[in-house]
Each structure stands twice: as structure tokens, then as C-alpha cells.
Amino acid sequence: MALDEQRKLYPAKADRLNAAACALKRCAESIPKDTAEYRYWKGVQGEGASYKEEIAQLKATGEFDGRGLFSEVREWSDDKLGAHNTVVKRATAAGVTVAGLVVGVGGYGAMVATASACLTGVGCLIPASTGALGSLSLSEAWQSSSGITADYQSDEPQRVKRFVLSRDFSMGKEHDFTVRLFKNCFSKAVRI
């Protein structure tokens, strides 16, 4: 909000304020380094670092003051995970694939092991349900296996652009890549 106020007070300096804010928040650090977007935002970040007056102006608002150790560590991990998200996505897909295979094979094994209980209609529910679980898990494993080798397109450049141009400059929950990563992994694991 402080950035938005500064842009309103000094509209001629809006681009310089955006670049200075990018430098203060190290906005390029979460973008994969081998992309054109990284080079662009690294340039904006570097340019913003040279705008000493604007940096001082933004720091004076109190919104860009130093952060505590926990915030620094979390932001560093978010940046590293964002910059190397292709590895994270592929590792997550591999993990979900392996878990799906294990549960799928286990489901079919349980179906075979409980087949002798299928003497009545009710007794057939156990092998039928474990077989269905096995089928669903193997289907999920098949679908997630395509994520291991799929082309990867990072969403970090768009997030950084929204961050720099947003009205609320606090990055908020959207920036918390670590939380997004674990929620994504957990939701896939629950589906298996």
C-alpha cells in the first residue's frame, strides 16, 4: 500500500519506484535463471538498486524495513524453490507416481488375498473395493507419470509482474511458494 501511495504522490517516478521496490524485495530471485524473464527482472532489480533516493523513500514508509530471521529464511527458500520449480514439479510427479504404483499393487494384492471371502454378495464388497482402490491408484500413477517429463513453464515471471504492479506490495500468501508446494503435494497424495 505504501508503494501505491508513493506512486500517487510522485507519478513521474512510478517506474523508478517500481524498480526500487523490485530491488528491495529481490524480485528476480524466484524466477528460473535460464529464462528471458529472469534476465529482464534481474535488469529491473539491478536498475532499481541504483535508485538510492527511491529506495530511501520506500524504506521510510516502514513497509520495506528489514525482516526477521524466520521471514528471511522463508523468503530465501521460496526464491530457491521458485527458481528451481521444474525439479520440484518433476520430483513431486515421480513421488505421486511411485505412491500410486505402491497403493495400486497393494490394492490388487488385497483383492486377490480377500477373494476367498466372496462367498456372498456382502463378502464380495471387500475384494471389489480393494480392486477399485488399486485401479484408481494405478490410474493416478499413470496420469502423474506424464508430469515427470512434461515441458515446464514457470508461473513465477507472471507472479513477479503482478507483485511489482500490484496495489498491495506485501506479496502475501501468493508469494509463499513453500506453502503452495506442500499444499499441492498433499492434495495429490490425498487423491491416491
Side-chain angles (χ1 to χ4, degrees), residues 13-177:
K13 292 172 56 173
D15 290 337
R16 291 175 63 97
L17 287 165
N18 288 341
C22 179
L24 286 169
K25 291 290 191 172
R26 298 183 308 265
C27 67
E29 301 310 313
S30 64
I31 299 173
K33 309 251 183 292
D34 60 346
T35 63
E37 290 91 354
Y38 172 78
R39 290 186 291 279
Y40 171 78
W41 288 108
K42 191 68 173 177
V44 171
Q45 183 176 313
E47 183 181 335
S50 70
Y51 297 149
K52 302 300 181 197
E53 181 182 325
E54 288 78 5
I55 287 175
Q57 188 177 342
L58 291 172
K59 281 184 174 180
T61 66
E63 189 172 314
F64 293 89
D65 286 341
R67 301 171 296 270
L69 177 62
F70 178 73
S71 295
E72 283 287 331
V73 169
R74 192 180 88 195
E75 191 162 315
W76 176 84
S77 69
D78 287 345
D79 289 344
K80 294 302 175 199
L81 287 170
H84 302 288
N85 196 19
T86 184
V87 173
V88 173
K89 293 265 187 192
R90 289 184 175 156
T92 301
V96 171
T97 300
V98 169
L101 289 171
V102 168
V103 173
V105 169
Y108 283 137
M111 178 182 72
V112 170
T114 59
S116 61
C118 192
L119 299 174
T120 65
V122 174
C124 290
L125 287 176
I126 294 170
S129 61
T130 56
L133 174 65
S135 295
L136 288 172
S137 296
L138 289 174
S139 172
E140 179 71 25
W142 178 260
Q143 290 175 7
S144 65
S145 68
S146 66
I148 298 171
T149 58
D151 288 337
Y152 175 71
Q153 181 68 31
S154 175
D155 64 344
E156 289 299 302
Q158 292 80 21
R159 186 197 58 76
V160 169
K161 184 176 182 181
R162 286 191 309 269
F163 156 71
V164 171
L165 301 177
S166 73
R167 294 191 175 279
D168 178 11
F169 208 73
S170 65
M171 276 200 180
K173 292 181 182 176
E174 181 182 344
H175 175 64
D176 198 348
F177 188 86

